[in-house]
Amino acid sequence: MANATGESESDAVRLDFDRRLMLHFRGSVVTSDAGLLAYRELDDVLGLTEIAGDVLADARSGKNGRHALAGLFRQSVFGRLAGYEDVNDAERLRHDPAMRWIVGGKAAQRSAASPSQMGRFETQWLAAPKNFAALADLSGQWIDLVHGRRPPRGIVLDMDSSVSPTHGEQEMSVWNGHYACTCYHPLFVFNQFGDLERCALRAGNVHSADGWDGVLKPVVARYQGKLLRIRADAAFAMPEVYEFLEAERIKYAIRLPANRVLQDRIGYLLKRPVGRPAHYVRRCHASFSYQAGSWTKPRQVIAKVEWHPGELYPRVGFIVTNLSRPAERVVAFYNKRGTGEQWIKEGKGAIKWTRLSCRTFAANAVRLQLHALAYNLGNFLRTLATPEPIKDWSLTSLKEKLIKIGAKVVSHGRYVVFQMAEVAIPRQMFKEILRLIAELRPQPPPAPA
């Protein structure tokens, strides 16, 4: 096509199997992402990108900026939410009518930002130290806004690391023997609703807990005075982590690597049960006080021993905790940490936050933060404004069925109509999503009598 992204000037394309069919290409009046408008409505109700416009500094001088900073920021975040994770995607996305109205301002009637504009915005302006610090704090600020509309009784944090494979000459991209690839090694902290509280990009060869304090401590500071509990795997079983959490009076359950001393303490549970092997899992627990050589005081340790059918040896796990619960309930609480791993998989699958293809480490760190914000925006709608029939949809399902609604755009003198396709999301369900979003809008104060 001569002009695949805009109004085509070529003749209609005909199909030989049925000559009655003609194909017209009208990229600037047809969108495949009309469902993004629901996310823009949620953004407006919560004031998410409005905060970004307030805290990010505009590096441009003069008054000839074509797009407002908040508009560029929306194009970055909403584009990633719809699956356009590269700056080059802006070449087509700038003409998309849904994106133009989401960006707002002059873009609504003309075009959104070009690849070169988005490249400067993401790799230069946002990579500046002050802007990057503000960008890293935005996820927490967004979550605080959500909690203002949906106050939680308590917060449970899950801390975990992941892998982002690299395929070029990116700075600080290093071989990681555990993952058997050249990669980055980001660190994430989620809450129990699946919101990403904070994340940090790290070199590929660092320990899983490296820099934990820079990620966890700002989150803990935000929740000062609230009921807070934390789960983490064995990589974070370090005295400094325990001491910090205990000083902050935070309850925790952290997996403890096994050693000979711990094994000896539960030796009586490691003997094979008498009689024929059962056809179900036999599970038993123990609780005892233990002090490692590097600890300044003894701590409670929970042991879990499982005998599985067909296995010669039991599966053994240890958890160090300061929770005052029975051993079975501590184990049950810790086992829910697996949901954090599921959210990481959703971020990789739906938001593609492993797509860190810039050359400089600073630019890739910005990209990860923008992916995190896109993930949170998607998760906010899932947890706040999804009707019961789609309550359990994953972010991938929401992207493929809600965001990817095709629409034809018809402009009139005073208004613009998006003629939406009804396939996976019918009209009534979309109206219900908008109703749930509207209920989150702050109510005006009552008029004085």
Side-chain angles (χ1 to χ4, degrees):
M1 291 297 125
N3 187 14
T5 59
E7 297 278 357
S8 175
E9 297 177 357
S10 63
D11 295 332
V13 177
R14 304 296 292 268
L15 297 174
D16 289 334
F17 80 88
D18 193 327
R19 299 298 291 178
R20 291 173 297 177
L21 299 179
M22 293 191 302
L23 308 182
H24 287 273
F25 290 82
R26 297 290 186 264
S28 62
V29 295
V30 176
T31 178
S32 62
D33 304 307
L36 279 178
L37 297 172
Y39 292 84
R40 179 66 181 93
E41 183 74 359
L42 179 64
D43 167 33
D44 180 68
V45 167
L46 298 176
L48 303 179
T49 55
E50 183 180 346
I51 289 183
D54 293 337
V55 301
L56 297 175
D58 196 336
R60 294 171 292 187
S61 58
K63 300 182 179 180
N64 60 345
R66 182 172 180 179
H67 300 289
L69 190 69
L72 295 171
F73 178 79
R74 277 195 290 270
Q75 186 169 339
S76 285
V77 173
F78 281 81
R80 284 170 167 81
L81 183 59
Y84 305 105
E85 66 272 7
D86 283 326
V87 168
N88 292 339
D89 292 322
E91 184 59 45
R92 189 192 70 80
L93 204 57
R94 64 187 301 204
H95 301 287
D96 185 274
M99 182 56 65
R100 289 192 284 113
W101 282 97
I102 285 169
V103 171
K106 299 178 181 178
Q109 303 300 332
R110 299 179 185 177
S111 65
S114 66
S116 60
Q117 291 171 314
M118 294 306 301
R120 286 192 299 272
F121 174 68
E122 294 187 9
T123 63
Q124 296 179 22
W125 303 348
L126 293 183
K130 288 185 177 180
N131 271 346
F132 180 76
L135 189 66
D137 290 335
L138 268 180
S139 285
Q141 294 176 22
W142 282 16
I143 292 170
D144 289 342
L145 288 174
V146 171
H147 289 175
R149 313 293 170 86
R150 181 195 58 189
R153 288 183 294 179
I155 297 294
V156 179
L157 300 178
D158 290 299
M159 185 163 50
D160 204 355
S161 64
S162 183
V163 58
S164 291
T166 53
H167 308 282
E169 299 296 327
Q170 291 100 317
E171 288 181 349
M172 300 178 69
S173 169
V174 188
W175 175 266
N176 186 299
H178 175 74
Y179 295 110
C181 66
T182 302
C183 62
Y184 289 124
H185 193 184
L187 181 62
F188 302 95
V189 175
F190 293 89
N191 63 31
Q192 74 266 36
F193 305 108
D195 304 325
L196 180 51
E197 295 275 355
R198 199 173 183 90
C199 62
L201 190 65
R202 306 175 299 176
N205 61 345
V206 301
H207 185 268
S208 294
D210 188 74
W212 67 269
D213 51 343
V215 176
L216 181 60
K217 287 183 177 179
V219 179
V220 170
R222 281 184 30 244
Y223 289 118
Q224 199 68 246
K226 296 184 179 180
L227 178 62
L228 190 61
R229 292 166 290 171
I230 292 179
R231 298 180 289 232
D233 65 16
F236 301 90
M238 302 184 297
E240 52 267 36
V241 176
Y242 309 146
E243 292 166 3
F244 167 72
L245 297 176
E246 290 162 356
E248 295 290 334
R249 298 183 178 180
I250 297 172
K251 300 297 182 180
Y252 61 83
I254 300 175
R255 189 174 181 87
L256 192 63
N259 58 45
R260 179 57 63 86
V261 175
L262 293 173
Q263 297 275 7
D264 290 343
R265 294 293 298 271
I266 61 168
Y268 64 98
L269 295 177
L270 302 181
K271 297 179 181 179
R272 176 170 289 278
V274 178
R276 290 186 177 184
H279 296 291
Y280 56 89
V281 177
R282 290 183 175 180
R283 186 177 295 108
C284 51
H285 303 85
S287 177
F288 55 89
S289 179
Y290 167 76
Q291 182 174 358
S294 59
W295 298 1
T296 58
K297 65 177 184 180
R299 294 181 171 91
Q300 182 188 13
V301 171
I302 303 296
K304 180 184 72 171
V305 179
E306 292 181 342
W307 293 91
H308 287 252
E311 296 184 5
L312 182 60
Y313 298 103
R315 301 181 188 181
V316 181
F318 298 96
I319 299 170
V320 58
T321 184
N322 60 352
L323 287 166
S324 55
R325 299 181 179 184
E328 294 86 349
R329 291 184 58 195
V330 172
V331 172
F333 170 73
Y334 175 81
N335 285 344
K336 293 180 181 178
R337 194 190 67 82
T339 56
E341 297 176 354
Q342 181 61 36
W343 293 322
I344 290 177
K345 291 180 182 178
E346 285 209 331
K348 291 179 177 180
I351 309 298
K352 306 290 178 61
W353 66 30
T354 57
R355 182 78 173 183
L356 305 175
S357 53
C358 291
R359 185 184 62 82
T360 66
F361 181 80
N364 283 320
V366 168
R367 286 175 63 85
L368 179 63
Q369 298 297 334
L370 291 170
H371 282 301
L373 292 167
Y375 167 88
N376 276 337
L377 178 57
N379 197 59
F380 293 159
L381 187 133
R382 176 172 63 176
T383 57
L384 295 172
T386 48
E388 198 60 37
I390 63 173
K391 201 72 176 176
D392 297 326
W393 280 12
S394 66
L395 292 185
T396 300
S397 295
L398 287 171
K399 182 179 76 173
E400 293 175 351
K401 298 178 181 180
L402 173 58
I403 293 177
K404 297 298 180 180
I405 294 178
K408 179 182 178 181
V409 184
V410 180
S411 298
H412 299 276
R414 299 176 59 184
Y415 51 88
V416 175
V417 178
F418 277 72
Q419 297 178 346
M420 315 273 282
E422 286 188 277
V423 182
I425 304 292
R427 174 179 181 270
Q428 195 57 40
M429 186 175 292
F430 202 93
K431 285 182 63 178
E432 180 66 11
I433 292 172
L434 295 181
R435 185 191 67 79
L436 293 171
I437 292 174
E439 289 182 352
L440 299 170
R441 193 176 293 277
Q443 297 299 317

